[in-house]
Amino acid sequence: MWWKKVNSVSGRILHARIYLDQLRRIIEILNDNCERVEISDKNYKYSDIDDLIDNNKDIPNVSYIDIHGYGPFIHIDVDREETKIYASDNSVKSTGIFTQLEKILRENIRKSLYIRNGYVLLVYFIAMKIFQGIGDLYIDKTSYAKLSTVFLQ
């Protein structure tokens, strides 16, 4: 007896900003390719994108949206920090849907938020300590610039 090995496809996009037209395109792709689509936020499930908009008058500030497509299974989890996308198998159809959705989600990545990366902050603080230790640039009576090096006092 044998079984076909099924591999999933997944991706994670940090700091993606999703606009309403992009959300509509995502739902349209899922409606065209999946048997059933569910949209939800932290409190409610919605039958379509218009219900989500009607319930959330302040749509730019929606912090969490969860979208499921069934047949094939596609899951998109959108929050303020990251967006996760998952396809349950690596068939041609699922991979095609995944690629289209990932392309839409990568259109508006907030680049200014990369400072939250721990390595960037570590390098920043180390550089600040080094520059604090070098000392001050001053000009003496003969108008020559001298660098006084004061590491530890």
Side-chain angles (χ1 to χ4, degrees):
M1 185 164 234
W2 58 275
W3 289 272
K4 181 181 178 185
K5 184 178 178 182
V6 178
N7 296 319
S8 63
V9 182
S10 64
R12 186 174 147 218
I13 304 164
L14 295 176
H15 312 300
R17 181 172 287 182
I18 310 295
Y19 293 103
L20 185 58
D21 64 321
Q22 292 171 312
L23 192 58
R24 287 187 189 278
R25 288 180 9 221
I26 289 169
I27 300 299
E28 182 181 332
I29 289 169
L30 291 175
N31 280 331
D32 290 346
N33 293 292
C34 296
E35 296 171 11
R36 189 179 87 222
V37 176
E38 290 180 358
I39 307 164
S40 62
D41 60 14
K42 291 187 180 198
N43 300 317
Y44 303 101
K45 281 189 177 182
Y46 304 101
S47 60
D48 59 16
I49 190 72
D50 294 326
D51 286 344
L52 174 71
I53 294 167
D54 290 342
N55 192 47
N56 295 286
K57 297 297 181 192
D58 195 18
I59 196 78
N61 293 321
V62 172
S63 62
Y64 178 82
I65 297 174
D66 193 36
I67 305 167
H68 290 270
Y70 298 96
F73 181 76
I74 307 286
H75 177 227
I76 303 169
D77 182 19
V78 180
D79 70 19
R80 291 192 189 273
E81 296 298 319
E82 68 180 352
T83 300
K84 297 176 193 167
I85 182 170
Y86 173 82
S88 64
D89 62 17
N90 63 348
S91 67
V92 174
K93 184 175 183 178
S94 293
T95 306
I97 296 168
F98 178 89
T99 304
Q100 288 178 351
L101 297 176
E102 186 178 36
K103 183 179 177 185
I104 292 170
L105 293 169
R106 289 191 182 276
E107 287 176 0
N108 296 309
I109 295 177
R110 295 177 286 185
K111 292 175 179 43
S112 63
L113 293 179
Y114 284 122
I115 193 72
R116 292 184 183 179
N117 185 332
Y119 295 111
V120 173
L121 288 174
L122 178 65
V123 169
Y124 172 77
F125 286 122
I126 290 172
M128 290 305 295
K129 285 295 183 185
I130 290 171
F131 286 124
Q132 281 177 343
I134 287 177
D136 300 321
L137 181 66
Y138 68 93
I139 299 177
D140 65 2
K141 293 180 182 177
T142 58
S143 299
Y144 290 109
K146 294 183 180 179
L147 183 64
S148 74
T149 308
V150 183
F151 289 102
L152 297 172
Q153 292 183 358

